[in-house]
Amino acid sequence: MKKRYTVLLAGATMALLGLHGGVANASPTGWPTGCANERASTGAGWLATCSHSNGGHYKAAVICVREDGGGDVSVHSVEWKDGRDPSFIACPPFTSVKSGGIITRSY
């Protein structure tokens, strides 16, 4: 009985101190750095790049104006990039670039 009490007391103490045995913490990831974005040289879309992913990802986003006078159209690249590769997104047909940017995430 004394042995069981000692084990319970030690377990309760470890739980209070946050010393959980066998629990692994995931290493944190960072946000991309060295990012830049601009209108693509063709003028039909938006380009985004980051020089360091730091474990994060990024993609290009663009707001396009409809030629028929309708509302703006927002689109973004489907593929998340994690390196120095550029991310590109084009405006749909019968629209033109209004503005653009970059979307980042830490994973």
Side-chain angles (χ1 to χ4, degrees):
M1 186 70 169
K2 191 174 185 180
K3 188 175 186 179
R4 184 180 295 175
Y5 176 76
T6 304
V7 170
L8 287 174
L9 184 61
T13 303
M14 287 175 57
L16 288 173
L17 294 175
L19 302 174
H20 303 287
V23 176
N25 293 329
S27 61
T29 58
W31 293 90
T33 56
C35 299
N37 64 90
E38 62 187 359
R39 182 183 291 233
S41 60
T42 62
W46 208 258
L47 189 66
T49 57
C50 292
S51 58
H52 303 289
S53 71
N54 299 319
H57 294 82
Y58 60 92
K59 62 182 174 177
V62 67
I63 299 173
C64 308
V65 177
R66 291 175 41 170
E67 291 176 2
D68 65 3
D72 293 344
V73 178
S74 298
V75 290
H76 57 85
S77 179
V78 175
E79 184 180 357
W80 288 96
K81 299 291 185 166
D82 64 354
R84 294 176 186 235
D85 294 332
S87 175
F88 173 77
I89 186 65
C91 282
F94 308 110
T95 64
S96 59
V97 174
K98 178 178 181 180
S99 65
I102 185 169
I103 300 170
T104 60
R105 69 179 188 189
S106 66
Y107 58 95

